Amino acid sequence: MKWVYLAAGLLLFVKMLILPDPVAGAEVDIAGAIVAESNVPNAVSGIIFRNRLYDTIFEVVVFTIAIMGAKYLLADETPTASFYSFDDEPSIVLARLGATIAALVGIELAIRGHLSPGGGFAAGVAGGTAIGLIAITAPSPEWMQAIYERWHAATWEKVSVLVFIALAVFTLVGVELPPGQFGTLLSGGIIPVMNILVALKVALGSWAITLLFIRYRGLL
């Protein structure tokens, strides 16, 4: 079998040496074409939410299934009896300051991700980081769980997924918002809305996973 792989590698090497590159002489600004098509300066967001929308839909669905799987696998386990968190004042102040900064960065990445590096997934990760920093200073896991239930975070997570999928379907059939003025905050059509929805989904999903592992595995 190794000779087959060796022969395939040699053939590929010969192909790269002999056959011409079909796009070597083409003067095509790919990033510029994507920016013009999506009407947002951030070509990465344009690729993700316009040229790879199918992939983004299934990434959101996979993240949702991962959360459901974690809940299912941990449902039969006994919650941990011990809970350790930071109790010294300097650590608590620093962790909550970091949480505030991470939350503000997440908001910035969500609402301006189509104009600069960032976007929905990066914003969701920043939001999840903020929640994790708050969790390591929480007085008890019940305190975090009470906040989660009070704000109906699980419901908002599901709603954000359903709205994202619905908007994605409308986009794929050709129904889009006005593109707006190029380079402004209200440009990019549906892309900023999708950024916010994905950020909400990832942040709330991270919150749910954090609560699960704190309850069944402990924090520290």
Side-chain angles (χ1 to χ4, degrees):
M1 181 62 68
K2 62 181 180 180
W3 298 108
V4 175
Y5 290 117
L6 180 60
L10 289 174
L11 289 174
L12 180 61
F13 180 71
V14 172
K15 180 264 180 190
M16 290 188 294
L17 288 178
I18 298 177
L19 297 181
D21 187 356
V23 295
E27 297 181 358
V28 179
D29 183 6
I30 299 177
I34 293 173
V35 168
E37 180 185 349
S38 59
N39 202 45
V40 295
N42 185 0
V44 176
S45 288
I47 292 171
I48 292 177
F49 286 114
R50 190 173 182 89
N51 299 77
R52 297 180 60 217
L53 185 55
Y54 290 107
D55 180 68
T56 307
I57 293 172
F58 287 108
E59 285 177 356
V60 173
V61 173
V62 165
F63 190 80
T64 304
I65 294 174
I67 297 172
M68 296 171 59
K71 292 180 179 179
Y72 175 78
L73 292 175
L74 295 173
D76 296 332
E77 295 196 14
T78 303
T80 181
S82 59
F83 176 79
Y84 303 97
S85 62
F86 292 160
D87 53 4
D88 59 297
E89 195 65 25
S91 297
I92 293 175
V93 171
L94 288 175
R96 294 186 176 179
L97 176 61
T100 303
I101 295 173
L104 293 175
V105 170
I107 296 172
E108 171 74 10
L109 292 174
I111 65 176
R112 296 182 60 86
H114 61 298
L115 301 176
S116 62
F121 288 103
V125 170
T129 301
I131 293 170
L133 289 171
I134 293 296
I136 65 177
T137 64
S140 67
E142 289 77 16
W143 181 77
M144 289 287 292
Q145 185 69 37
I147 297 176
Y148 183 82
E149 294 175 356
R150 184 190 312 160
W151 291 97
H152 306 287
T155 302
W156 283 109
E157 179 192 351
K158 295 178 178 63
V159 169
S160 63
V161 174
L162 294 176
V163 174
F164 177 85
I165 294 175
L167 291 179
V169 171
F170 283 122
T171 302
L172 292 172
V173 299
V175 179
E176 299 185 24
L177 293 177
Q181 184 178 354
F182 183 82
T184 62
L185 189 62
L186 298 179
S187 63
I190 201 68
I191 292 179
V193 180
M194 288 186 168
N195 272 333
I196 295 173
L197 290 172
V198 172
L200 188 64
K201 162 62 188 170
V202 174
L204 295 180
S206 301
W207 192 354
I209 290 293
T210 301
L211 291 179
L212 281 173
F213 279 96
I214 288 176
R215 182 179 181 185
Y216 293 106
R217 291 289 187 267
L219 182 59
L220 298 173

